[in-house]
Amino acid sequence: MSVVRITQSLVVSINAINMSSENGKGKIAIVGSGLVGSSWATIFASSGYQVQMYDISEQQLVAAKILVEKNLQKLDKHALQRGPILTDEALKLVSTTTSLKEVMTNAVYVQESALEDLNFRIEFYKKLDELAGPNTILASSTSTIPASKFTEGLVNRERCIIVHPVNPPLFLPLTELVPAPWTSQDTVDRSAEIMKSVKQTPVKLKKEVLGFAVNRIQFALLAETWRLVADDVIGVDDIDVVMSAGLGPRYAFNGPCETVHLNAFGVRDYFRRYGNGATTVLNDMGPVPDFSDESVIQKLENDLEKKMAVANIRGYQAEREAKLIEIAKLKKALKF
Amino acid sequence: MSVVRITQSLVVSINAINMSSENGKGKIAIVGSGLVGSSWATIFASSGYQVQMYDISEQQLVAAKILVEKNLQKLDKHALQRGPILTDEALKLVSTTTSLKEVMTNAVYVQESALEDLNFRIEFYKKLDELAGPNTILASSTSTIPASKFTEGLVNRERCIIVHPVNPPLFLPLTELVPAPWTSQDTVDRSAEIMKSVKQTPVKLKKEVLGFAVNRIQFALLAETWRLVADDVIGVDDIDVVMSAGLGPRYAFNGPCETVHLNAFGVRDYFRRYGNGATTVLNDMGPVPDFSDESVIQKLENDLEKKMAVANIRGYQAEREAKLIEIAKLKKALKF
């Protein structure tokens, strides 16, 4: 018992050492400096963490640092920075390196946003595992590959976890935490605390499932959307309007459980009234669609191309971001 | 051929008579004056239509008229009125009656928001059918009963249609138009025009399906939500946050097709990259849930009761409305 206690004290001490840095916050290693990695670097720096970004080329890192600066300025412009510091000060906290060893040194938390490729990941995580400190969390941004697929044999596997953001992370705070079967509760809890400290909203999945929660919800919705379009029940533009002018504004504030709770006298009343009807409708839905059906792809592409041409997709993505910034400001101003 | 032309001219003339009224807009019959019916009365009056509300009791109609006044004041307060007129003037356009014959007289468009009960509806629509003018549209607000179930034998069945709003209709403009197999295209098109004239956003379903589009999308999402909670993958509060802090703000502006289009280099690229993954995840989802499973209901109720007690559900519904008003103002101000 006393041995356990001593061990725990040691862990706490190591924690304290790792967490300490010039400004009292630990070092965050950003591994992979693309759009997602750069967003993470922005979020951590804006919150006052020491951030080091790793990538394989100097050129990529130069571009990433410029993107981080632009991101920080955007947060400042809309008063959505994550901590009390502004761009100039936050930018001083960001360094870069092409040395994996350097980025991992003294990192309390590693946010990996590298290739979504399983074989790459299996090899890459072996290196991260070798270089990880005794208390370092190895968090992956992957949206598609469960941690169990690339962390099983690792020495530090209990400190591996999925920390999956939603695009664009700067303006959508949700982050889903998905443990592998061997991820420790301490890793889950510490990851959640770190997310809260940078004003990302953590939700904890209790176990690993394919697609995690975000994509399961998204795909369930997408499947029925596809079927309605494929069966020619409704046009592509119209099914989008069903969401954006109807269900979507509600979902911007209340999730599916709260929504049905509010759509009746509570959730029990809702399912008493509408449960049978919902079952009948769900039984009427077709099987999992064939997402490679060219006729449906063509229909979707034709209608979407008219309003959001792929040639200018970055512009339309920027428009979406502008709208999400307004929602983020609204939620902040009204404390929703 | 000439006979047909004369008949069409006659129809046009009747149309003209029906559409004419003191202020140049036709008379709208609001049949059923509960929450939904009162919202419809508000929307039409705010747009400058002559509105007559029908219900079975004077007492109910007095309450409904008070609610319409409150609704109109709310629209004014937030500068979200549907036309150029304000509460006092709009209220003058609203009359009430307990006579079904009176409400139907000279009505160009009937918006029925009565009991969601099939047997009642079958009998009630026989009366509406008898009293309908030769060009009157009979639109139902029902969310659950397809028009084919209660309009098949009617003389005017080609002018019967579902015009289903989303709650709260005052601040969520979506209205889905669902034809029965015998609903004429003219009825669909005229209903859509009337909806546009009151700043409701019409989407036209091309054929009748159970649950229409809104509830099919909502139930697909609800089913996976239920399964994730039932399987103890995620907590009730957390699955709501997945939506409200993650997917929901995007859906407030962009529907599911636009969303996947923007999440890649267009919709074709999205399905090329993620189609197989989505199929795998969808195949991993369980069957249609048993929405009467008491253990799941209990879990949902426990967690929801903590944050939105049913005893104060009206208060929480008002809170949701306040948030939707802010989104509506934002969309109007920024022309989103």
Side-chain angles (χ1 to χ4, degrees):
Chain A
M1 194 67 170
S2 62
V3 177
V4 172
R5 282 197 181 138
I6 289 165
T7 312
Q8 283 178 337
S9 304
L10 267 170
V11 169
V12 170
S13 306
I14 290 161
N15 243 334
I17 292 162
N18 278 345
M19 293 296 288
S20 72
S21 77
E22 292 156 47
N23 63 346
K25 290 209 177 193
K27 172 182 165 183
I28 305 293
I30 301 296
V31 171
S33 70
L35 280 176
V36 175
S38 298
S39 294
W40 278 120
T42 308
I43 288 165
F44 282 108
S46 178
S47 309
Y49 281 93
Q50 289 287 345
V51 175
Q52 191 163 40
M53 285 200 283
Y54 161 85
D55 216 311
I56 48 173
S57 89
E58 281 290 356
Q59 205 184 346
Q60 168 57 30
L61 286 167
V62 170
K65 188 93 187 264
I66 291 170
L67 184 52
V68 169
E69 184 170 7
K70 282 188 185 163
N71 282 343
L72 287 166
Q73 286 165 344
K74 213 182 276 176
L75 291 180
D76 285 0
K77 181 180 169 191
H78 299 287
L80 291 171
Q81 62 276 16
R82 302 300 174 100
I85 61 175
L86 298 178
T87 300
D88 288 353
E89 206 181 331
L91 210 54
K92 284 183 203 150
L93 297 171
V94 182
S95 63
T96 61
T97 179
T98 55
S99 158
L100 196 57
K101 186 173 179 186
E102 187 186 338
V103 81
M104 294 294 287
T105 302
N106 293 325
V108 289
Y109 178 91
V110 178
Q111 183 75 44
E112 167 272 313
S113 312
L115 282 186
E116 293 266 12
D117 179 276
L118 180 56
N119 290 329
F120 164 79
R121 239 152 229 279
I122 289 169
E123 293 311 309
F124 192 60
Y125 266 73
K126 286 181 189 162
K127 293 184 203 164
L128 294 180
D129 190 40
E130 275 174 29
L131 295 167
N135 212 28
T136 310
I137 290 173
L138 299 177
S140 173
S141 304
T142 180
S143 64
T144 54
I145 311 175
S148 62
K149 300 276 189 199
F150 55 91
T151 65
E152 185 167 11
L154 305 184
V155 175
N156 299 292
R157 68 179 194 168
E158 86 280 4
R159 275 177 279 106
C160 291
I161 186 169
I162 305 294
V163 175
H164 172 229
V166 181
N167 249 329
L170 291 184
F171 304 109
L172 283 177
L174 179 73
T175 315
E176 56 180 350
L177 277 50
V178 190
W182 40 81
T183 304
S184 69
Q185 190 57 45
D186 178 65
T187 299
V188 175
D189 294 342
R190 280 203 291 143
S191 301
E193 285 310 310
I194 289 171
M195 285 302 111
K196 284 183 196 166
S197 76
V198 300
K199 296 205 172 115
Q200 288 296 102
T201 309
V203 299
K204 296 174 182 176
L205 272 68
K206 297 175 199 171
K207 52 190 169 197
E208 199 176 81
V209 285
L210 286 178
F212 316 147
V214 167
N215 275 326
R216 285 181 91 91
I217 292 293
Q218 189 157 235
F219 291 156
L221 202 155
L222 191 59
E224 183 53 14
T225 299
W226 177 286
R227 287 184 293 249
L228 288 171
V229 170
D231 296 347
D232 209 28
V233 170
I234 191 167
V236 175
D237 289 351
D238 277 353
I239 192 66
D240 275 338
V241 171
V242 162
M243 185 56 81
S244 61
L247 299 168
R250 295 199 305 213
Y251 289 142
F253 299 109
N254 293 121
C257 305
E258 292 166 341
T259 295
V260 299
H261 189 68
L262 291 172
N263 283 355
F265 292 102
V267 66
R268 179 179 293 276
D269 180 51
Y270 182 89
F271 283 108
R272 193 167 44 77
R273 287 192 206 199
Y274 304 113
N276 283 342
T279 302
T280 306
V281 172
L282 285 160
N283 280 324
D284 186 54
M285 291 181 192
V288 174
D290 171 8
F291 290 126
S292 69
D293 183 335
E294 177 57 25
S295 67
V296 183
I297 297 272
Q298 193 64 60
K299 209 191 277 197
L300 287 161
E301 193 177 42
N302 284 349
D303 288 2
L304 287 160
E305 186 67 19
K306 278 178 209 152
K307 56 179 172 180
M308 295 178 176
V310 173
N312 187 27
I313 198 79
R314 291 283 180 224
Y316 295 107
Q317 288 166 342
E319 253 181 43
R320 172 166 79 173
E321 189 184 81
K323 292 169 184 177
L324 294 175
I325 287 172
E326 293 304 322
I327 291 255
K329 284 160 70 176
L330 184 65
K331 287 193 175 199
K332 192 184 172 191
L334 299 174
K335 296 189 170 45
F336 284 164
Chain B
M1 194 65 169
S2 62
V3 176
V4 171
R5 281 200 183 136
I6 290 166
T7 311
Q8 283 179 338
S9 304
L10 267 170
V11 169
V12 169
S13 306
I14 291 162
N15 241 336
I17 293 163
N18 278 345
M19 291 298 287
S20 72
S21 76
E22 292 155 45
N23 63 346
K25 290 211 176 190
K27 172 181 164 184
I28 305 293
I30 301 296
V31 172
S33 70
L35 280 175
V36 176
S38 299
S39 294
W40 278 120
T42 308
I43 288 165
F44 282 107
S46 177
S47 309
Y49 281 93
Q50 290 285 345
V51 175
Q52 190 164 40
M53 284 200 283
Y54 161 83
D55 217 311
I56 48 172
S57 90
E58 281 289 357
Q59 203 183 348
Q60 168 58 29
L61 287 167
V62 170
K65 189 95 187 264
I66 292 170
L67 184 53
V68 170
E69 184 171 7
K70 280 188 187 164
N71 282 343
L72 287 166
Q73 286 165 344
K74 215 183 274 178
L75 290 179
D76 285 0
K77 181 180 168 191
H78 300 287
L80 292 171
Q81 62 274 18
R82 301 300 173 99
I85 60 175
L86 297 178
T87 298
D88 289 352
E89 206 181 331
L91 211 53
K92 285 183 203 149
L93 298 169
V94 182
S95 62
T96 61
T97 179
T98 55
S99 158
L100 196 57
K101 187 174 179 187
E102 186 185 337
V103 81
M104 294 295 286
T105 301
N106 293 326
V108 288
Y109 179 90
V110 178
Q111 183 76 43
E112 167 273 312
S113 311
L115 282 185
E116 292 267 13
D117 178 277
L118 180 56
N119 290 327
F120 163 79
R121 241 152 228 279
I122 289 170
E123 292 311 309
F124 192 61
Y125 266 73
K126 286 182 190 163
K127 295 184 201 164
L128 294 180
D129 190 40
E130 276 173 27
L131 296 167
N135 212 29
T136 311
I137 290 174
L138 299 177
S140 172
S141 303
T142 180
S143 64
T144 55
I145 311 176
S148 62
K149 300 277 188 198
F150 55 91
T151 66
E152 186 166 9
L154 305 184
V155 174
N156 299 292
R157 67 178 195 169
E158 85 280 5
R159 277 178 277 108
C160 290
I161 187 169
I162 305 294
V163 176
H164 172 229
V166 181
N167 249 330
L170 291 183
F171 305 110
L172 283 177
L174 179 73
T175 315
E176 56 180 349
L177 277 50
V178 191
W182 40 80
T183 304
S184 70
Q185 189 58 45
D186 177 64
T187 299
V188 175
D189 293 342
R190 281 204 290 143
S191 300
E193 285 311 311
I194 289 172
M195 285 302 112
K196 282 183 197 165
S197 75
V198 299
K199 295 207 172 113
Q200 288 295 102
T201 310
V203 299
K204 296 175 182 176
L205 272 68
K206 298 175 198 171
K207 52 190 169 197
E208 198 176 82
V209 286
L210 286 178
F212 316 146
V214 167
N215 275 326
R216 285 180 92 91
I217 292 293
Q218 190 158 234
F219 291 157
L221 202 155
L222 190 59
E224 183 52 14
T225 300
W226 177 286
R227 287 184 292 249
L228 288 171
V229 169
D231 296 347
D232 209 29
V233 171
I234 192 167
V236 175
D237 289 351
D238 277 353
I239 192 66
D240 275 337
V241 171
V242 162
M243 184 57 81
S244 61
L247 299 169
R250 295 198 306 213
Y251 289 142
F253 300 108
N254 294 121
C257 305
E258 292 166 342
T259 295
V260 300
H261 189 69
L262 291 172
N263 283 355
F265 291 102
V267 66
R268 179 178 293 277
D269 180 50
Y270 181 89
F271 283 109
R272 193 167 44 76
R273 285 193 208 197
Y274 304 114
N276 284 342
T279 303
T280 306
V281 172
L282 284 159
N283 280 323
D284 186 53
M285 291 180 192
V288 175
D290 171 9
F291 290 127
S292 68
D293 183 334
E294 176 57 26
S295 68
V296 183
I297 297 273
Q298 193 64 59
K299 209 192 276 196
L300 287 161
E301 194 176 43
N302 284 349
D303 288 2
L304 287 160
E305 186 66 20
K306 277 178 210 153
K307 56 180 172 180
M308 295 179 176
V310 172
N312 185 28
I313 200 79
R314 291 284 181 223
Y316 294 108
Q317 287 166 344
E319 252 180 43
R320 173 166 78 173
E321 190 186 80
K323 293 169 185 178
L324 294 174
I325 287 172
E326 293 304 322
I327 291 255
K329 285 159 70 175
L330 184 65
K331 286 193 175 200
K332 191 184 173 192
L334 299 174
K335 297 189 170 45
F336 283 163

